[in-house]
Amino acid sequence: MVFDLEFFFEISPDLLCIYGFDGYFKKINPAVSKTLGYDNTELFSSQVSSFVHPEDLLLSNHKMETLIDGHSLLNFENRYLHKDGSVVWLSWTSVPIKKDEVIFGIAKDITYKKQLEEYDRISSVLGMINDDHHKRFKKIVKNDIPKNLSINGIGNIKRVKDEPTYSDQFWLNQFEAAVRKHAGKIDLNLELISGELALSQRQLFRRVNLILGITPNKLVRVIRLQLAWEAIASGKYRTIKEIANIAGYSSRTHFSKLFREVYGINVSDLL
C-alpha cells in the first residue's frame, strides 16, 4: 500500500511545519496559515520568533537553542499572535535533524483549553459572590435534566464529558461576541444576549451550564473582567472609571473590588 504523505500533510488539522536552524519556516501545512491568519508569503518571509507573543519570546528562544543542540521538545506551550492581534496558544512537539539543520514540529491549538481554564478560575472566584439568578436557574432545570448530566453541588450542573465539542466552542465564541458587542451597556441582560443568539433564556441557561457548569450571568461577568484586563493592557486608558465603563460597571468601587478578588491586584496599581 502506498501512502500519499503530502496529502496527509496538507489535510492535518494540527500545525505541521519544518523550520530551519536559521529561524525561518521551510515548509508548512495550511493549518499554520489558518490558525495564525497570515498568508504563506508573510509566514515564510519572517522569522518564526516574530510571530511569538513578546512575553513568551525569551523562553521560546531558549527552547529553540535546546533544539539546535539536538534535544527534542515535548508538549511545550507558548503563545503566538494572530494577525488580528488575538492570542493563540500552541502546544509543540518538535524533533531536530542536526545534519540537515532543520526541525520538524507539530503543534496543537490549545487556545480554547486555556480559555476554559481561565473561565473556570474566574468563575470559581465569582462563586464567592452571590449569584442573583442562581435560584431562578435551579428552578428552570430541576425538572428537565438531560441524561448525560450529573448534579454537583446545589443546582450546579456539570458535563459528564469534560472536553467541549467544536460546536460548543463555536457557540461560546458567539456568546462572547454578543457580550463584547454590548459590554459597555450597564443594562446588558440575558434577554439581549438571548436575542442575539436566537435562543430563549431557558435555552441559554441550559446550554451555558451544559458546557461550562456555570450560569450565563457568571459567564458574562467573566468576559467583562477579561475586557477590563485587555483595556488596561492596551495602555490607552488612565482612570478606573474608563476601565469600569468599558467593562459595563457603573460603580467604580464594586468594579475595583471585583477586579481585586479575581486578579489579586488593584486596578489603580496597574494604571
Side-chain angles (χ1 to χ4, degrees):
M1 182 180 294
V2 179
F3 293 96
D4 188 344
L5 295 180
E6 189 66 25
F7 177 70
F8 173 78
F9 190 89
E10 291 295 312
I11 67 169
S12 173
D14 292 333
L15 287 71
L16 306 181
C17 62
I18 300 172
Y19 49 103
F21 284 8
D22 61 358
Y24 287 87
F25 286 118
K26 305 302 180 183
K27 183 178 178 63
I28 58 177
N29 72 335
V32 178
S33 178
K34 181 179 179 181
T35 303
L36 298 180
Y38 297 93
D39 59 37
N40 283 3
T41 300
E42 293 171 306
L43 290 167
F44 284 118
S45 62
S46 300
Q47 287 195 316
V48 177
S49 59
S50 66
F51 304 106
V52 176
H53 192 289
E55 293 180 9
D56 289 351
L57 192 55
L58 186 62
L59 179 59
S60 298
N61 287 340
H62 172 69
K63 294 297 182 181
M64 182 66 174
E65 293 173 1
T66 300
L67 285 163
I68 292 175
D69 286 339
H71 302 285
S72 297
L73 202 59
L74 181 63
N75 299 329
F76 169 61
E77 298 178 1
N78 66 351
R79 290 168 293 177
Y80 278 64
L81 290 177
H82 190 279
K83 188 173 183 178
D84 65 9
S86 60
V87 174
V88 178
W89 276 93
L90 298 177
S91 176
W92 290 92
T93 296
S94 303
V95 179
I97 309 297
K98 293 195 72 172
K99 66 182 181 67
D100 296 322
E101 295 190 345
V102 296
I103 297 165
F104 286 79
I106 301 176
K108 290 186 177 293
D109 184 352
I110 58 170
T111 307
Y112 197 72
K113 174 187 174 184
K114 291 293 185 179
Q115 183 183 43
L116 288 185
E117 288 175 355
E118 182 66 1
Y119 279 175
D120 183 61
R121 186 189 73 80
I122 298 178
S123 66
S124 295
V125 176
L126 292 175
M128 296 182 294
I129 303 169
N130 291 329
D131 189 336
D132 295 334
H133 293 259
H134 183 75
K135 292 182 180 180
R136 178 184 175 190
F137 172 68
K138 183 180 178 183
K139 181 179 180 181
I140 288 174
V141 301
K142 70 177 182 179
N143 295 321
D144 191 16
I145 300 176
K147 293 181 180 179
N148 66 329
L149 299 180
S150 60
I151 293 185
N152 293 303
I154 303 176
N156 199 21
I157 296 180
K158 294 285 186 182
R159 287 174 62 100
V160 173
K161 183 180 179 182
D162 292 328
E163 187 67 25
T165 65
Y166 284 110
S167 62
D168 288 341
Q169 296 177 26
F170 180 75
W171 187 85
L172 279 178
N173 287 340
Q174 289 183 307
F175 184 102
E176 181 172 348
V179 175
R180 286 175 175 269
K181 179 180 177 181
H182 302 287
K185 297 181 178 179
I186 304 300
D187 59 347
L188 173 61
N189 54 48
L190 296 187
E191 183 178 357
L192 183 58
I193 297 174
S194 297
E196 287 277 346
L197 300 177
L199 293 173
S200 68
Q201 290 189 52
R202 173 193 177 95
Q203 291 171 317
L204 194 71
F205 268 97
R206 295 188 66 246
R207 180 131 197 205
V208 172
N209 194 262
L210 176 65
I211 299 172
L212 296 176
I214 61 177
T215 65
N217 280 288
K218 190 172 288 185
L219 179 54
V220 169
R221 278 179 280 177
V222 169
I223 296 169
R224 277 180 152 168
L225 286 168
Q226 288 181 327
L227 278 170
W229 184 266
E230 291 169 10
I232 293 170
S234 72
K236 297 177 181 179
Y237 308 97
R238 292 291 180 267
T239 67
I240 296 177
K241 182 179 180 181
E242 288 177 305
I243 303 297
N245 287 341
I246 288 172
Y249 288 93
S250 57
S251 169
R252 285 177 293 176
T253 302
H254 173 64
F255 166 71
S256 298
K257 180 181 178 182
L258 194 60
F259 191 93
R260 170 72 183 181
E261 289 175 340
V262 170
Y263 292 110
I265 190 169
N266 294 321
V267 180
S268 56
D269 293 338
L270 292 173
L271 295 175

